[in-house]
Amino acid sequence: MDDIYKYLLVAFEEAELAKQEGTFPIGAVLVDNTTGLIIARERNRVFSSCDTTGHAEVNLLRAASDRLIDLSTKQFINNDYTIYSTCEPCPMCTCTILLSGIKKVVWAANDNTFGAARKFKEGPHFSEYFDTISYLATPYPELELKQRSMIADFYTSRGYVDTEWHKELS
Ligand SMILES: [Zn+2]
């Protein structure tokens, strides 16, 4: 098993916890590329913590902020970290990633409704900033299908049976 797959599976462990907690089944991990160590792991908490901003990537970056900010100098720390998420980041998460100085993002499934990472990359807004971030989208078809099924099931449980997540499964 390669490292990318391994880290995505850890993100899916978080997504499973989110599912059990009754919120969007999305997870994310932050990995130090130099050491290979996982710095933080988090998950969606929108419905489990009643927090509209409780997305996996935002929670992840909050959890890791002491590794991203040097309070003594009031500087952002140059890092070589990668976010591995089960789902393409939304507008809020995409911009939080940019503002946190993360340069690499991998995700298992594209989000054709609220996914923003690819759209910001295409421009026209902030493209000079997003050019500094590299993406790896949907490297494994089976993990993309797994995330699509999990999110479709969550929408079904809330009474939505005809979302983009459902369509793309058929
Ligand atoms: Zn988000």
Side-chain angles (χ1 to χ4, degrees), residues 55-58 89-94:
H55 290 198
E57 299 92 333
V58 166
C90 76
M92 173 177 69
C93 292
T94 299

Side-chain angles (χ1 to χ4, degrees), residues 6-166:
K6 180 180 79 177
Y7 294 130
L8 283 173
L9 286 187
V10 178
F12 272 99
E13 289 177 11
E14 290 293 318
E16 287 287 347
L17 290 172
K19 177 183 171 181
Q20 291 167 23
E21 292 163 357
T23 188
F24 290 98
I26 298 171
V29 297
L30 187 66
V31 174
D32 183 332
N33 297 318
T34 306
T35 63
L37 296 175
I38 292 173
I39 296 166
R41 46 191 291 174
E42 259 297 345
R43 57 189 176 272
N44 185 283
R45 297 181 187 272
V46 168
F47 293 116
S48 52
S49 294
C50 194
D51 177 0
T52 58
T53 70
H55 290 198
E57 299 92 333
V58 166
N59 291 335
L60 182 74
L61 291 164
R62 284 183 175 147
S65 281
D66 62 343
R67 303 286 295 268
L68 298 166
I69 290 172
D70 184 340
L71 284 181
S72 67
T73 61
K74 301 193 189 304
Q75 301 286 330
F76 287 84
I77 300 168
N78 280 330
N79 70 77
D80 184 17
Y81 300 157
T82 299
I83 289 181
Y84 295 84
S85 179
T86 56
C87 190
E88 181 182 9
C90 76
M92 173 177 69
C93 292
T94 299
C95 292
T96 303
I97 289 164
L98 172 69
L99 294 173
S100 300
I102 302 295
K103 300 296 186 194
K104 295 174 186 163
V105 188
V106 178
W107 62 83
N110 289 332
D111 178 348
N112 294 322
T113 308
F114 279 107
R118 289 171 297 157
K119 288 178 179 164
F120 274 113
K121 195 84 168 166
E122 290 164 7
H125 300 298
F126 303 115
S127 55
E128 69 272 32
Y129 297 117
F130 285 105
D131 279 349
T132 66
I133 305 178
S134 67
Y135 295 147
L136 177 60
T138 67
Y140 304 101
E142 71 271 28
L143 293 186
E144 176 164 38
L145 183 62
K146 179 181 172 74
Q147 175 73 128
R148 292 198 174 291
S149 300
M150 290 174 80
I151 294 178
D153 287 350
F154 182 62
Y155 275 103
T156 300
S157 76
R158 296 161 65 223
Y160 303 102
V161 297
D162 190 27
T163 69
E164 286 299 313
W165 299 100
H166 294 90

